[in-house]
Amino acid sequence: MGKVRKRKPNKTQNNILAENFDEELPVDSKENVIQTILDQLQGVNVEEKYCGLQTFALLIESPENIEQTIERGLVKVVAPLLLDPAGSIRNAAAGVLRNLSAVQLEVCDSLMEQDVMTPLLCYFHEHTETWTPEINSKTKSEDVDTIIQCINLLLNLCESSDLAVKYLGQSRVLSILLPRYLDIATFGCDIVSAVLQCLFVVVEDNPDVMEKVKSTCEKQLQELMVIENSDPSYLLIKTLAAGVIINTCGGNMAVLPVNVIHQIVTILAKTLSIDHRLLCNQLSSSVPLVNGSDKLESLQGKEAQVLENQLKSVSHMLDAQQRSIEIIANICSCDDANDEMDGPESSDSDELGDEDECSNGEEVALVEDKLPPEILEALISLEIFDKVWARTQLPADNVMLILEEYEGSKLIHKKVHTLQTRALLCVNNMISSLPVEHLGGVNGIYKIWVNIGKLVFKQSTDNLYILESATAVMRAALDKIKFRENGKSDECDLFRDLSLSDIEMMITGIKECQVPEIRSNLIRMIGILALLLVNKLNETSSNVICAITEFILEQAHKENEVWVLAEAIDTLVDLYSEDDTDALAAKVKLVEKLAVLAPILKNKARQQRKLPREYKVLVSTATSNLPRFIKYKKDRLSKS
């Protein structure tokens, strides 16, 4: 949902502050501003409190101010205003807290620590249980906006905090909202979609909420899915209803009737069939442009209302497509299968990750074989991969620039980038889950790799989320070629002419990369490239493999993150496990260099024990495999 619309402040002080916030305030001036806000928020006059909330909203528009405002306790003072007798104060408080919660997960943690949940849950108990919008009420739009902002605040808190989900479950809020607030005729699309967005998050992995939703509103959710209306607001509702239904099954879509599965995938396909680039192009033609004096032209009256409706429509469409892609990504994830195979204290040999599932052994099931046939058939017949892939493409640069410059469309600009990131992550899952022939064969996967490579290495972007998801896709594409074709297909001749100059950009990218996740993806990726070349050994390919090996070894010595070091070592072990590589191993003195790295890995593993589970598995596997591999390779080289 969009940011809260701020009324024009009726205090001259706010106009002055707004100008000052364009530049960095001195520490003492900022402290004075914060103290003034605190004094205003704790006043008894409605105008004074409203002015304080408006100033707070302006202050937190600069991310560097957020930490200080939280430390000074502004949140503790603002949160109780959700229960203020004045509707305008409740609305402004809900808007500023919701905007604050949308900044980043760490901010949500701070909001939880400052007990935002108590007044928020009380708001629902006091103001929503019997409320219905009054058509002729002067405060209708304000009350509707307050409820939407509070639901979105609840959504953001629950998305970042298990404790928030627990508090929600212990309250009566879900009983108040369900199924009553799923009635579009009474509450309108905006409130219904906000409730569904919240449900989409809180139902996931929450058995108590799953049962509650099933018992109270399963019928309403099914009715929402069959609405005959292609307006973006209704497509968003249909998409969210489908997502909630899947989540009530614990994400196991296969337990649903076949006709419901096809109905859900059809909704996702229809949502993703709308050209988001075309919508953005049309929107960019409508937004005001900067004139000769570097000021934006302003729209008035009917023109302004038309633009507002267009912005809302595009925003709903992007939200619907993002949720559709997230649903598809979850459908194509094989995490559940991995979890069943790996107990909480599995041994190293049990936890070899996705690569083990896709190994070259004849008897090991491929990841793509784990997708239920009825779901696979629906995804393929409705060309879901092509539709998701289209979402990885941004509108033209000039369109994005226009959307970024106009204040009213900045959120659209941000949502387009978020959609691209989610689409890349979904492509990553789909590459693993779909049979290679439905991805255009090895040639098709190679084209994906090349196209994403242009995004990673040839386009300047400082969006680390996009870079991380894009490098994950490149890695998955090469994994698919290596594991599906065993690296020996004639089609793998695509890489036969790979030279050092071709991987120069990748090596430079790894050297300059500050993000461990991206570094890890790139290291694994060039390792897979080298492995593919092992089957096509000649003077050129041998030189490339040796260069990649020496580079990975060099990076391993510089690496601070133990799990990235483990990834680098695991990559080398994979590469040189082939007997054909003995001569190359001797040439780069692999055994001696790995023997130097072994104690470094072991020492870092002791120092960095607090790691996510998947990283612990990687480190543990590399630590146990490395000594065995060194002994094995040393024995082979001594006999050659």
Side-chain angles (χ1 to χ4, degrees):
M1 304 302 291
K3 285 188 177 180
V4 60
R5 288 196 306 274
K6 296 191 284 287
R7 292 188 185 84
K8 290 183 180 179
N10 54 9
K11 295 273 185 179
T12 306
Q13 179 187 11
N14 277 34
N15 294 327
I16 296 170
L17 285 168
E19 293 172 6
N20 287 340
F21 290 158
D22 289 338
E23 300 176 4
E24 178 63 25
L25 285 170
V27 175
D28 58 341
S29 299
K30 193 184 296 181
E31 182 59 37
N32 291 337
V33 170
I34 291 173
Q35 187 57 53
T36 300
I37 294 172
L38 282 168
D39 293 340
Q40 289 175 326
L41 294 177
Q42 295 174 92
V44 294
N45 184 281
V46 172
E47 286 281 317
E48 197 173 5
K49 285 190 281 190
Y50 189 78
C51 183
L53 288 166
Q54 288 289 301
T55 309
F56 186 22
L58 289 168
L59 188 64
I60 64 172
E61 284 186 355
S62 298
E64 62 269 16
N65 296 332
I66 291 174
E67 184 177 353
Q68 190 175 349
T69 60
I70 290 174
E71 287 177 354
R72 289 286 279 113
L74 263 72
V75 172
K76 290 182 180 178
V77 181
V78 172
L81 296 180
L82 292 172
L83 305 173
D84 196 270
S88 60
I89 300 300
R90 294 197 300 273
N91 180 246
V96 75
L97 289 172
R98 184 268 167 190
N99 287 349
L100 198 55
S101 72
V103 176
Q104 56 191 26
L105 295 180
E106 290 78 9
V107 174
C108 286
D109 292 338
S110 298
L111 294 180
M112 289 298 297
E113 289 170 6
Q114 300 200 17
D115 197 24
V116 167
M117 280 296 283
T118 298
L120 177 60
L121 296 176
C122 287
Y123 164 81
F124 286 106
H125 290 148
E126 293 184 16
H127 292 280
T128 64
E129 191 159 9
T130 59
W131 177 83
T132 52
E134 296 178 26
I135 296 175
N136 297 320
S137 170
K138 294 180 181 179
T139 61
K140 179 193 171 185
S141 60
E142 182 177 78
D143 290 339
V144 167
D145 188 62
T146 302
I147 286 179
I148 291 172
Q149 298 300 338
C150 284
I151 293 172
N152 284 327
L153 172 59
L154 182 63
L155 161 64
N156 291 342
L157 294 174
C158 288
E159 201 161 25
S160 67
S161 170
D162 290 337
L163 189 59
V165 176
K166 179 182 176 182
Y167 287 161
L168 174 62
Q170 292 172 348
S171 72
R172 292 190 303 109
V173 171
L174 288 177
S175 297
I176 292 170
L177 296 178
L178 304 176
R180 189 166 173 264
Y181 277 79
L182 295 181
D183 182 359
I184 296 176
T186 302
F187 294 99
C189 287
D190 290 343
I191 288 180
V192 173
S193 63
V195 172
L196 287 170
Q197 293 263 23
C198 193
L199 280 181
F200 184 78
V201 169
V202 300
V203 169
E204 191 172 12
D205 300 325
N206 193 330
D208 292 338
V209 179
M210 288 178 197
E211 287 306 312
K212 188 169 192 64
V213 171
K214 280 183 181 179
S215 62
T216 58
C217 56
E218 192 170 31
K219 181 182 177 183
Q220 284 85 348
L221 290 169
Q222 291 171 346
E223 289 173 351
L224 290 173
M225 281 207 305
V226 297
I227 294 174
E228 292 293 334
N229 194 317
S230 58
D231 183 83
S233 59
Y234 283 94
L235 280 179
L236 175 58
I237 285 172
K238 293 169 70 171
T239 301
L240 290 168
V244 173
I245 287 174
I246 294 173
N247 286 348
T248 58
C249 303
N252 184 11
M253 191 176 170
V255 303
L256 296 170
V258 174
N259 65 310
V260 175
I261 290 174
H262 198 271
Q263 182 183 31
I264 288 174
V265 180
T266 300
I267 290 171
L268 303 179
K270 186 172 183 180
T271 299
L272 292 174
S273 294
I274 296 174
D275 189 342
H276 71 299
R277 300 175 71 190
L278 177 60
L279 290 179
C280 288
N281 290 348
Q282 293 170 342
L283 179 60
S284 69
S285 301
S286 302
V287 303
L289 300 176
V290 175
N291 58 30
S293 58
D294 288 336
K295 290 187 177 179
L296 283 170
E297 304 168 3
S298 58
L299 300 179
Q300 303 293 330
K302 187 176 180 181
E303 277 189 333
Q305 186 58 52
V306 169
L307 177 58
E308 179 71 20
N309 291 339
Q310 192 176 1
L311 285 165
K312 187 176 179 181
S313 178
V314 174
S315 180
H316 282 159
M317 195 65 256
L318 293 174
D319 284 342
Q321 293 196 342
Q322 180 183 326
R323 288 306 188 193
S324 294
I325 283 171
E326 289 169 354
I327 292 167
I328 294 164
N330 287 338
I331 291 171
C332 294
S333 170
C334 60
D335 287 346
D336 291 340
N338 291 340
D339 290 343
E340 289 171 12
M341 292 170 63
D342 303 333
E345 302 296 333
S346 298
S347 66
D348 300 338
S349 59
D350 291 333
E351 298 192 14
L352 298 178
D354 290 347
E355 295 176 7
D356 185 54
E357 289 187 359
C358 302
S359 69
N360 298 331
E362 293 290 331
E363 301 302 321
V364 179
L366 296 167
V367 174
E368 62 195 51
D369 294 332
K370 294 182 179 297
L371 208 56
E374 59 273 19
I375 296 176
L376 181 62
E377 189 278 329
L379 293 174
I380 292 170
S381 65
L382 292 167
E383 301 177 334
I384 296 297
F385 181 83
D386 292 339
K387 292 175 170 59
V388 173
W389 175 256
R391 307 284 86 71
T392 67
Q393 310 303 307
L394 292 176
D397 290 344
N398 65 313
V399 171
M400 292 298 286
L401 183 61
I402 292 170
L403 296 179
E404 186 178 24
E405 284 182 343
Y406 179 59
E407 181 65 31
S409 59
K410 280 184 177 179
L411 185 62
I412 300 293
H413 179 271
K414 181 180 178 181
K415 286 186 176 186
V416 171
H417 278 297
T418 302
L419 182 66
Q420 182 189 37
T421 303
R422 297 291 195 279
L424 287 167
L425 291 171
C426 186
V427 166
N428 177 52
N429 285 4
M430 294 191 82
I431 286 175
S432 297
S433 300
L434 295 181
V436 68
E437 57 269 21
H438 293 290
L439 296 167
V442 171
N443 279 302
I445 299 169
Y446 175 75
K447 287 177 183 177
I448 293 171
W449 182 76
V450 170
N451 287 329
I452 297 296
K454 292 175 184 176
L455 172 66
V456 174
F457 297 110
K458 295 186 179 179
Q459 296 180 19
S460 58
T461 177
D462 56 0
N463 190 322
L464 297 179
Y465 295 109
I466 288 176
L467 285 177
E468 182 181 345
S469 53
T471 52
V473 172
M474 294 185 75
R475 173 176 171 169
L478 291 182
D479 268 334
K480 190 76 168 183
I481 294 172
K482 181 183 77 167
F483 294 127
R484 189 66 173 83
E485 299 296 330
N486 198 21
K488 295 180 180 178
S489 165
D490 290 339
E491 292 180 281
C492 287
D493 278 355
L494 294 164
F495 300 100
R496 71 180 179 276
D497 297 324
L498 195 71
S499 66
L500 286 174
S501 60
D502 293 323
I503 65 165
E504 203 170 62
M505 286 187 294
M506 299 182 209
I507 288 175
T508 302
I510 300 171
K511 286 179 178 177
E512 296 176 353
C513 180
Q514 301 298 311
V515 182
E517 289 78 8
I518 299 174
R519 223 163 41 238
S520 170
N521 285 335
L522 291 172
I523 287 171
R524 176 62 76 173
M525 186 173 66
I526 65 170
I528 297 172
L529 280 174
L531 184 58
L532 288 168
L533 293 175
V534 166
N535 299 308
K536 309 289 178 183
L537 281 179
N538 54 42
E539 185 178 354
T540 301
S541 62
S542 295
N543 289 336
V544 171
I545 293 169
C546 289
I548 289 175
T549 303
E550 288 169 352
F551 172 71
I552 294 176
L553 285 166
E554 179 188 342
Q555 282 298 118
H557 279 284
K558 296 177 182 177
E559 185 55 57
N560 292 321
E561 297 288 340
V562 66
W563 68 270
V564 181
L565 172 58
E567 185 81 83
I569 289 172
D570 193 51
T571 299
L572 291 173
V573 169
D574 278 353
L575 173 57
Y576 284 92
S577 61
E578 299 285 335
D579 293 342
D580 294 344
T581 61
D582 288 349
L584 294 175
K587 184 177 180 180
V588 298
K589 298 181 179 178
L590 180 71
V591 171
E592 294 91 329
K593 291 177 181 178
L594 286 179
V596 174
L597 279 173
I600 296 174
L601 174 64
K602 202 169 184 179
N603 187 44
K604 285 186 183 292
R606 286 198 201 98
Q607 293 171 349
Q608 301 178 33
R609 292 181 180 277
K610 293 184 178 180
L611 294 170
R613 182 173 178 272
E614 63 271 23
Y615 294 165
K616 283 184 179 178
V617 171
L618 177 62
V619 172
S620 180
T621 302
T623 305
S624 64
N625 284 350
L626 183 56
R628 294 198 293 264
F629 175 77
I630 291 173
K631 183 178 183 302
Y632 163 75
K633 207 69 175 177
K634 188 176 182 179
D635 290 344
R636 283 194 59 82
L637 294 182
S638 66
K639 296 173 184 176
S640 60

